[in-house]
């Protein structure tokens, strides 16, 4: 439901102007189809529905006349029920939902609830606004945006290309009418496809290019134009979400179910968006289409590429991770000056699960930021059960009867429908549920996506329940429970022992006859308020799902002398724009925003921050931007403790362990420090070729086949590749590595220190050096294996500048006897 968002923004502004005693704002939906789904049937009005929610032509006579008809019906209903002047209608919603918002008393709201034709009446509840939230968590509004001219100029004229599932161009996160006009960007040569249905293009100044790539998908017989859209339209949600994280407009209210969860903003809110759709909702995508998209993006002149996509399986043509059409196309992109951020993958917390391998790519791991949503269920016996649920509370100081779905079946024949999932209101007895809390079971159907919390909420609402509880009775390893916003009191109990407490209390309190039928429902409870996040000092933490190193050089899973991931960025429970026809997450179907997790969400954070660096330092190479991001990270959490990583315990429950560079790369991004790194580790195309040519086991003919360049390098070893990390997977005896740094600030003297796990000795030379502006200097690092532990040892090199700069690079090595 997207059109209502702008209405809701204005509604919030109006709230301050209205003070009519006890009155509140309510959002009301009524029977009858909105414009987008009206297929005809009402006298005198032809169908206005479009196929699969494609863009509406709101100027057509059919649409305007039917929309006007709906608005008249809204006014007629209010006029019949209430005296003129006793209410104030704020908006009619006609296009995407059929309803209105109105300022009335609670008694009038009750009258509306009982009126024929009214589907729902929801109070527009409002709490303290909290931004959504990562720009603040990362220090952008105060520390970074002002240096780029404030949020009004952050990322100005930088073009970020998104190879993803397209974009929903009508979302307020991508609107251009509320901002300063966008001028032309002469360097960008991309085109805007025309929507085949509306004959309008997808661009608006903010969105500067929009194309789709599906030839391979069509050839494979996978493409269905009815649901995949033969255009840049996002049929999934993922593409709109990632674009908004990197470059969405600043200060967009995130509203769901009448509650504002904060303001959403991209990392670089003035950056331009160029869309290259190559992913589709049911089948994903094909590398041939992805490569064509990347190729086109580079041709068109994007500055940054954001890729929340990785290969499903190793390519058949090569055993080398760095040499496949996907990575080699990206190597050419970097050669053309394009910075590439790619999601590291979601195969964590197990080792060697990365899907992003190459040194020319910035591989991004996912962190949990400082915001957690929690809720609780209070039972009649005084026990308080913790859970999650982005929901309002039941009425304070009041308890409600609890009824289990299995005890309120209409008849025994419906048991084939998994009634305890609470997905179908028609199989449950409304008379027994109405006014009570409905207890449901979280089955495997929720894990695979055939059941959703959103649907439980809709079932409870349809049956007149006051709220719902969804209880997890058994858990499969790796099940991830994310809070879902719902418009009524609701909670998910994720801890199986707490579920047992609930079941025990319910059974003791629910007398049954000899057949097992309930004689009376006596269990009572209340649901807390789960809308306010709790801010944690333990953030950031490495998310359980985030893919881990070590990096591999081939598909025999042999370790590479290159650290991956490169960097950690927020990727857990990220609010951002969604597409109304988005199906990627069943709990957010039809919504304007979604709260989702993945390294897919982490990569666009880095793409947006890279745009801010590119804006400030337009001549920097992709390697320079990557270096600035990596050498200025933090490896401490907000409480000053070493970063923690989520990991499985022996019982397969989740625990926290001290994180290593294989979890977070160089550390968690710090945009403010990255703008002024002091020194950079620069690299270019020849350096990348040198890395390939010196990596043992790579066939030099294969390198030439993919790069059209023969091997001719003096690098010696891949560990000498000039990246801001040092990795030696097979350290025998002593090895010396060199690095070159370039000063991008004023003249400064740096003192170099190193620390390492005792199993490996580390020494740096020189111990200090002075660099003039623009000057480059080499330094060497000597590692010696003191003992063989059979596992990697970790350390770091710190370069402290006399003007306050601090440059840190991780060191990773494993000692071997031979």
């Amino acid at each position: 439901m997207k059109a209502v968002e702008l209405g809701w923004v204005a509604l919030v502004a109006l709230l301050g102007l209205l003070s009519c005693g006890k009155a509140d704002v309510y959002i009301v939906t009524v029977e009858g189809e909105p414009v987008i789904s009206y297929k005809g049937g009402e006298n005198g009005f032809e169908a206005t529905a479009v196929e699969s929610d494609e863009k509406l032509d709101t100027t057509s006579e059919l649409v305007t006349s039917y929309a006007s008809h709906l608005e008249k019906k809204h006014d007629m209903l209010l006029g019949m029920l209430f005296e003129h002047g006793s209410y104030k209608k704020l908006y009619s919603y006609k296009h995407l939902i059929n309803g209105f918002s109105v300022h009335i008393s609670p008694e009038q709201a009750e009258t509306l609830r009982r009126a024929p034709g009214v589907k729902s009446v929801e109070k527009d509840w409002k709490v303290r606004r909290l931004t959504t939230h990562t720009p603040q968590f990362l220090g952008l509004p105060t520390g970074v945006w002002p240096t780029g001219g404030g949020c009004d100029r952050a990322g100005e004229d930088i073009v970020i290309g998104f190879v993803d599932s397209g974009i929903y161009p009508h979302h307020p996160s991508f609107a251009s009418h509320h901002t300063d006009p966008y001028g032309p960007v002469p360097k960008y040569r991309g085109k805007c496809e025309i929507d085949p249905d509306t004959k309008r293009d997808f661009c608006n100044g903010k969105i500067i290019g929009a194309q789709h790539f599906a030839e391979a998908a069509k050839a494979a017989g996978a493409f269905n134009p009815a649901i995949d859209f033969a255009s840049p339209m996002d049929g999934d949600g993922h593409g709109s979400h990632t674009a908004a994280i990197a470059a969405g407009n600043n200060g967009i209210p995130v509203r769901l179910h009448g509650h504002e969860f904060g303001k959403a903003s991209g990392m670089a809110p003035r950056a331009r968006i160029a869309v290259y759709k190559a992913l589709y909702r049911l089948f994903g995508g094909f590398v041939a289409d992805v490569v064509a998209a990347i190729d086109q993006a580079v041709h068109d002149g994007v500055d940054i590429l954001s890729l929340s996509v990785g290969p499903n399986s190793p390519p058949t043509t090569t055993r080398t991770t760095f040499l496949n059409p996907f990575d080699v196309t990206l190597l050419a992109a970097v050669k053309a000056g394009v910075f590439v951020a790619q999601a590291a993958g979601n195969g964590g917390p197990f080792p060697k699960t990365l899907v992003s391998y190459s040194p020319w790519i910035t591989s991004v791991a996912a962190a949990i930021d400082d915001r957690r949503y929690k809720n609780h269920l209070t039972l009649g016996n005084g026990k308080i059960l913790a859970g999650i649920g982005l929901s309002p509370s039941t009425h304070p100081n009041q308890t409600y009867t609890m009824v289990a779905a299995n005890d309120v079946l209409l008849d025994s024949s419906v048991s084939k429908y998994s009634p305890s999932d609470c997905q179908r209101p028609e199989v449950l007895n409304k008379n027994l549920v109405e006014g009570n809390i409905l207890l449901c079971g979280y089955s495997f159907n929720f894990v695979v996506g055939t059941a959703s919390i959103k649907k439980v909420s809709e079932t409870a609402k349809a049956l007149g329940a006051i709220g719902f509880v969804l209880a997890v009775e058994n858990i499969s390893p790796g099940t991830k429970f994310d809070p879902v916003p719902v418009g009524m009191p609701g909670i998910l109990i994720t801890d199986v022992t707490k579920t047992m407490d609930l079941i025990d209390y319910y059974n003791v309190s629910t007398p049954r006859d000899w057949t097992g039928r309930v004689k009376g429902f006596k269990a009572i409870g209340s649901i807390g308020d789960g809308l306010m996040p709790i801010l944690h000092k333990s953030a950031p933490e490495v998310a359980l799902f985030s893919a881990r190193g070590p990096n591999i050089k081939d598909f025999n899973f042999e370790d590479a002398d290159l650290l991956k991931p490169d960097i950690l960025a927020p990727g857990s429970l990220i609010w951002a724009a969604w597409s109304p026809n988005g199906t990627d997450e069943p709990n957010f179907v039809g919504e304007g925003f979604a709260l989702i997790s993945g390294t897919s969400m982490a990569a666009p954070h880095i793409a947006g921050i890279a745009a801010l660096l590119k804006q400030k330092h337009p001549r920097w190479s992709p390697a320079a931007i990557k270096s600035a991001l990596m050498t200025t990270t933090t490896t401490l959490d907000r409480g000053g403790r070493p970063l923690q990583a989520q990991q499985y315990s022996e019982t397969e429950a989740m625990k926290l362990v001290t994180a290593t560079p294989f979890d977070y790369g160089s550390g968690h991004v710090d945009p403010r420090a990255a703008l002024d790194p002091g020194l950079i580790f620069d690299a270019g195309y020849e350096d990348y070729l040198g890395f390939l040519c010196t990596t043992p086991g790579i066939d030099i003919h294969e390198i030439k086949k993919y790069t059209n360049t023969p091997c001719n390098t003096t690098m010696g070893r891949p560990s000498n590749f000039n990246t801001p990390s040092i990795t030696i997977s097979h350290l025998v005896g002593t090895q010396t590595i060199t690095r070159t740094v370039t000063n991008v600030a004023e003249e400064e003297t740096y003192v170099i220190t190193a620390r390492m796990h005792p199993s490996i000795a580390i020494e740096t030379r020189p111990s200090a050096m002075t660099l003039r502006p623009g000057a480059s200097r080499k330094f060497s690092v000597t590692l010696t294996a003191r003992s063989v532990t059979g596992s990697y040892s970790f350390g770091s090199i710190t370069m402290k500048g006399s003007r306050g700069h601090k440059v840190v690079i991780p060191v990773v090595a494993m000692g071997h006897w031979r």
Side-chain angles (χ1 to χ4, degrees):
M1 302 294 175
K2 298 303 189 298
V4 297
E5 287 152 5
L6 292 176
W8 271 335
V9 177
L11 181 150
V12 172
L14 274 167
L15 282 175
L17 306 177
L18 299 166
S19 52
C20 314
K22 276 172 59 186
D24 278 303
V25 174
Y26 291 83
I27 296 161
V28 182
T29 58
V30 293
E31 284 172 5
E33 294 293 334
V35 168
I36 200 159
S37 52
Y38 173 59
K39 295 195 166 91
E42 290 209 29
N43 256 348
F45 296 100
E46 287 186 44
T48 58
V50 293
E51 277 303 303
S52 299
D53 298 353
E54 288 173 2
K55 189 180 167 193
L56 283 169
D57 179 8
T58 48
T59 59
S60 87
E61 175 61 30
L62 293 178
V63 168
T64 52
S65 62
Y66 181 64
S68 166
H69 164 69
L70 290 181
E71 183 154 9
K72 280 180 191 153
K73 283 178 78 172
H74 301 163
D75 293 339
M76 197 185 303
L77 172 67
L78 286 166
M80 277 166 37
L81 291 175
F82 308 126
E83 274 184 43
H84 183 71
S86 72
Y87 65 90
K88 181 177 174 70
K89 188 185 81 170
L90 303 179
Y91 297 98
S92 266
Y93 305 125
K94 303 157 292 195
H95 296 103
L96 299 179
I97 60 170
N98 179 17
F100 51 86
S101 54
V102 62
H103 193 245
I104 48 175
S105 71
E107 293 76 22
Q108 289 172 303
E110 207 47 52
T111 305
L112 254 181
R113 267 191 196 96
R114 293 194 297 266
V118 171
K119 281 170 38 179
S120 70
V121 178
E122 287 191 277
K123 188 174 169 187
D124 186 9
W125 67 99
K126 185 167 175 284
V127 295
R128 185 169 66 91
R129 296 178 186 196
L130 290 164
T131 183
T132 307
H133 160 85
T134 47
Q136 267 76 359
F137 178 68
L138 294 170
L140 292 174
T142 54
V144 177
W145 290 346
T147 65
C151 66
D152 297 341
R153 290 286 169 266
E156 187 78 69
D157 291 346
I158 303 298
V159 180
I160 306 177
F162 296 89
V163 178
D164 215 302
S165 65
I167 199 162
Y168 181 66
H170 319 300
H171 197 282
S173 285
F174 312 124
S176 55
H177 49 271
H178 288 313
T179 59
D180 282 355
Y182 284 97
V185 181
K187 68 182 177 189
Y188 183 73
R189 300 174 294 280
K191 64 178 183 181
C192 282
E193 285 184 22
I194 304 295
D195 187 314
D197 298 302
T198 64
K199 306 295 183 270
R200 296 181 184 169
D201 75 33
F202 277 78
C203 296
N204 61 2
K206 171 73 174 173
I207 302 170
I208 199 173
Q211 299 167 62
H212 83 289
F213 300 82
E215 293 309 309
K218 288 174 186 169
F223 186 84
N224 176 353
I227 59 168
D228 291 317
F229 304 114
S231 77
M233 178 64 80
D234 185 2
D236 180 89
H238 190 274
S240 302
H241 202 269
T242 54
I245 290 169
N249 289 329
N250 183 45
I252 303 301
V254 176
R255 297 191 66 82
L256 275 88
H257 310 294
H259 175 70
E260 184 177 309
F261 286 95
K263 300 279 196 288
S265 172
M267 300 293 103
R270 278 292 283 189
R272 311 301 180 94
I273 292 168
V275 176
Y276 298 87
K277 176 177 165 183
L279 301 182
Y280 297 88
R281 65 164 85 173
L282 292 179
F283 59 86
F286 291 85
V287 170
D289 290 330
V290 171
V291 167
I294 296 166
D295 186 75
Q296 187 66 47
V298 175
H299 165 272
D300 293 346
V302 302
D303 298 298
I304 314 282
L305 262 180
S306 181
L307 298 172
S308 292
V309 53
N312 286 349
S313 55
T316 51
T317 50
T318 175
R319 298 301 305 155
T320 304
T321 47
F322 316 118
L323 288 177
N324 62 74
F326 182 76
D327 281 59
V328 171
T329 304
L330 293 173
L331 173 58
V334 171
K335 186 183 184 186
V338 177
F339 175 90
V340 179
Q342 184 187 11
N346 293 342
F350 308 107
K352 298 189 180 182
T353 44
L354 295 153
V355 297
S356 180
Y357 315 103
S358 297
W360 45 89
I361 296 166
T362 302
S363 309
V364 189
I368 296 169
D369 69 15
D370 60 350
R371 197 188 45 195
R372 313 274 200 282
Y373 291 102
K374 294 196 170 143
N375 205 343
H376 60 274
L377 170 69
T378 305
L379 302 180
N381 61 5
K383 277 197 175 176
I384 297 173
L385 309 183
I388 53 175
L390 280 172
S391 84
S393 64
T394 50
H395 197 281
N397 308 318
Q398 201 169 328
T399 57
Y400 296 87
T401 302
M402 298 197 291
V403 299
N406 281 340
D407 288 331
V408 293
L409 306 184
L410 278 176
D411 61 67
S412 58
S413 68
V414 301
S415 54
K416 62 186 180 204
Y417 295 119
S418 305
S420 68
D421 284 0
C422 299
Q423 300 295 291
R424 293 165 171 255
E426 66 274 15
V427 305
L428 303 177
N429 186 332
K430 184 171 184 178
N431 294 332
L432 295 175
V433 176
E434 202 159 11
N436 297 326
I437 293 174
L438 179 63
L439 304 184
C440 311
Y442 189 97
S443 70
F444 187 65
N445 295 334
F446 288 88
V447 180
V448 296
T450 53
S452 72
I453 297 171
K454 181 186 176 80
K455 195 80 183 137
V456 174
S457 166
E458 288 168 0
T459 296
K461 204 170 281 184
L463 296 169
I466 205 80
F468 68 87
V469 177
L470 192 53
V472 178
E473 289 185 64
N474 47 45
I475 188 166
S476 48
T479 306
K480 186 161 63 76
F481 298 107
D482 285 348
V484 173
V486 288
M488 70 186 308
I491 187 168
L492 172 64
I493 307 290
T494 58
D495 183 332
V496 176
T497 60
K498 301 279 191 293
T499 295
M500 290 304 127
D501 288 344
L502 169 61
I503 292 170
D504 291 346
Y505 168 69
Y506 180 80
N507 286 340
V508 166
S509 311
T510 309
R512 300 172 187 270
D513 64 20
W514 64 274
T515 68
R517 184 169 297 172
V518 173
K519 289 200 283 187
F521 293 100
K522 301 284 168 54
I524 56 170
S526 61
I527 297 168
D529 185 340
L531 292 170
M532 293 293 287
I534 300 155
L535 301 181
H536 276 248
K537 274 197 171 170
S538 61
E541 292 167 2
V542 181
L544 187 70
F545 59 79
S546 186
R548 311 295 212 259
N551 193 16
I552 54 170
K553 65 182 180 183
D554 59 34
F555 291 105
N556 297 325
F557 287 84
E558 286 196 38
D559 294 14
D561 287 345
L562 178 74
L563 181 64
K564 290 283 174 174
D566 291 303
I567 198 165
L568 185 66
S572 179
L573 301 182
I574 303 298
W575 277 114
W578 201 241
S579 177
N581 34 38
T583 57
D584 196 33
E585 290 283 335
N587 287 314
F588 294 96
V589 171
E591 303 294 358
F593 293 88
L595 178 72
I596 55 176
S597 303
T599 53
S600 278
M601 284 63 252
H605 278 92
I606 293 299
I609 295 164
L612 302 175
L613 266 68
K614 183 82 175 170
Q615 180 188 14
K616 188 177 180 191
H617 306 283
R619 299 191 186 285
W620 277 12
S621 68
I625 293 172
K626 179 179 176 181
S627 173
L629 289 165
M630 287 177 65
T631 61
T632 55
T633 54
T634 178
T635 55
L636 301 176
D637 68 17
R638 282 291 169 88
R641 297 173 298 268
L643 286 180
Q644 302 287 294
Q646 294 186 338
Q647 184 56 264
Y648 287 131
S649 67
E650 294 66 33
T651 61
E652 292 177 334
M654 202 199 72
K655 64 176 182 180
L656 288 173
V657 298
T658 302
T660 76
F662 289 147
D663 303 317
Y664 56 63
S666 56
H668 191 278
V669 66
D670 179 348
R672 189 185 316 199
L675 282 176
D676 180 21
L679 302 175
I680 55 164
F681 294 74
D682 211 349
Y685 187 65
E686 294 299 323
D687 300 294
Y688 300 124
L689 285 179
F691 171 83
L692 292 172
C693 292
T694 56
T695 295
I698 300 188
D699 184 341
I700 59 168
H701 300 298
E702 202 172 19
I703 296 170
K704 187 168 183 190
K705 181 178 82 177
Y706 278 105
T707 65
N708 301 312
T709 313
C711 278
N712 181 19
T713 181
T714 57
M715 193 175 283
R717 287 190 168 108
S719 52
N720 284 328
F721 169 67
N722 202 46
T723 191
S725 63
I726 291 172
T727 305
I728 302 176
S729 60
H730 200 93
L731 176 63
V732 178
T734 297
Q735 192 174 319
T736 299
I737 304 103
T738 58
R739 288 289 182 271
T740 303
V741 289
T742 303
N743 186 7
V744 291
E746 301 293 305
E747 181 172 317
E748 196 162 0
T749 299
Y750 285 87
V751 175
I752 307 174
T753 57
R755 61 172 188 82
M756 194 77 193
H757 185 274
S759 61
I760 290 175
I762 186 166
E763 190 186 350
T764 57
R765 285 199 185 136
S767 57
M769 54 191 187
T770 302
L771 292 95
R772 290 185 173 170
S776 297
R777 287 281 304 271
K778 273 191 168 61
F779 69 94
S780 68
V781 180
T782 302
L783 298 176
T784 304
R786 282 182 174 152
S787 61
V788 174
T789 61
S791 59
Y792 277 96
S793 299
F794 303 103
S796 63
I797 294 164
T798 303
M799 309 176 75
K800 261 192 169 162
S802 53
R803 290 178 174 271
H805 289 109
K806 185 179 171 188
V807 177
V808 183
I809 67 168
V811 181
V812 177
M814 191 197 290
H816 291 258
W817 293 122
R818 54 189 177 82

